[in-house]
Amino acid sequence: MMASPEYSAARLNMVDSQIRPNKVTDQRVVDAFLAIPRDQFVPAGLRGVAYVDKSIPVGNGRFLLEPMVLARLLNEAKIEATDIVLDVGTGTGYSAAVIGRLAATVVALESDAGLAAQANQSMQTHGVDNAAIMQGPLAAGWVKQGPYNVIVVQGAVSAVPPALLDQLAEGGRLVAVVLPESGQGVARLYQKTGGQVSSRILFDASASLLPGLEAKPDFQF
């Protein structure tokens, strides 16, 4: 794992001030955020603000989720060491690297070719050997490696695409920020039990809409 010593204090401060106080109780999640250098997954000119409590633009209209939002989503997803996880909209691969510390396998889906290439390079650079970067439309998921124990969506959706819910294993969990056309965005947990999917609100959250997951008439749940 390539370290960035000049940012290690900022990374620790991010965990102590943004993640630990915000109902992130799974120590494995906390440790994952301590282990992965977020500054190495943002454009060079933004490394100085890589650990602030905001989403960070990584190019082509895409953002890394705010650390607290991602940490709480992962905390609620209850990822186990044997789980296969689909990371939808991985961007530069930061989320895949973090999830890779929690799960057995990460299938990281990215629609943007440039970001997918960058994420792939980052996996190699940081020695993340249990995450595979796949390129394709985000709303379609990645059927070939499914079903998944956990699906994490790295940005807001107007509604969760049915294809993603279909790729949940029995007992599987999906976490996402849902941003209706009007109203406050909320983080939601979807769970498949007996072949049926139920959902509940976790907390208020804001995030940028992921390209391809904006409001569409057929995205109803």
Side-chain angles (χ1 to χ4, degrees):
M1 176 70 64
M2 257 180 68
S4 43
E6 66 271 36
Y7 293 112
S8 58
R11 185 159 64 254
L12 179 60
N13 184 62
M14 172 190 76
V15 170
D16 286 345
S17 65
Q18 299 172 46
I19 293 175
R20 289 186 198 272
N22 278 296
K23 302 181 180 176
V24 178
T25 55
D26 186 337
Q27 187 59 42
R28 294 173 65 239
V29 173
V30 172
D31 291 343
F33 278 85
L34 282 170
I36 303 300
R38 194 170 193 251
D39 55 279
Q40 297 296 301
F41 292 84
V42 302
L46 294 176
R47 285 179 182 166
V49 294
Y51 295 101
V52 300
D53 55 349
K54 294 180 181 177
S55 54
I56 302 287
V58 293
N60 295 337
R62 300 292 294 283
F63 296 82
L64 297 190
L65 279 177
E66 181 183 336
M68 184 273 285
V69 172
L70 177 58
R72 285 196 67 183
L73 288 176
L74 297 183
N75 189 79
E76 297 293 339
K78 299 186 177 358
I79 298 171
E80 298 180 6
T82 53
D83 282 348
I84 299 173
V85 179
L86 177 65
D87 188 40
V88 178
T90 196
T92 56
Y94 173 71
S95 52
V98 172
I99 295 167
R101 307 282 299 191
L102 306 170
T105 303
V106 184
V107 178
L109 180 62
E110 179 48 55
S111 56
D112 183 280
L115 288 173
Q118 195 174 335
N120 198 50
Q121 181 59 52
S122 292
M123 297 304 102
Q124 297 176 39
T125 300
H126 296 284
V128 183
D129 58 8
N130 63 338
I133 310 298
M134 305 298 181
Q135 188 188 343
L138 303 184
W142 196 260
V143 177
K144 293 176 188 175
Q145 301 298 323
Y148 300 97
N149 304 107
V150 175
I151 298 176
V152 185
V153 182
Q154 298 297 331
V157 298
S158 55
V160 175
L164 296 184
L165 297 172
D166 288 346
Q167 289 168 43
L168 280 176
E170 176 63 21
R173 289 86 64 204
L174 182 150
V175 285
V177 175
V178 179
L179 188 62
E181 289 189 60
S182 59
Q184 168 71 38
V186 292
R188 295 191 77 100
L189 170 69
Y190 298 77
Q191 186 151 12
K192 183 173 282 188
T193 308
Q196 299 298 309
V197 176
S198 60
S199 77
R200 63 183 174 89
I201 293 174
L202 298 171
F203 55 93
D204 290 343
S206 61
S208 297
L209 279 166
L210 278 169
L213 296 182
E214 304 90 345
K216 288 189 174 128
D218 56 337
F219 282 4
Q220 297 298 324
F221 174 72

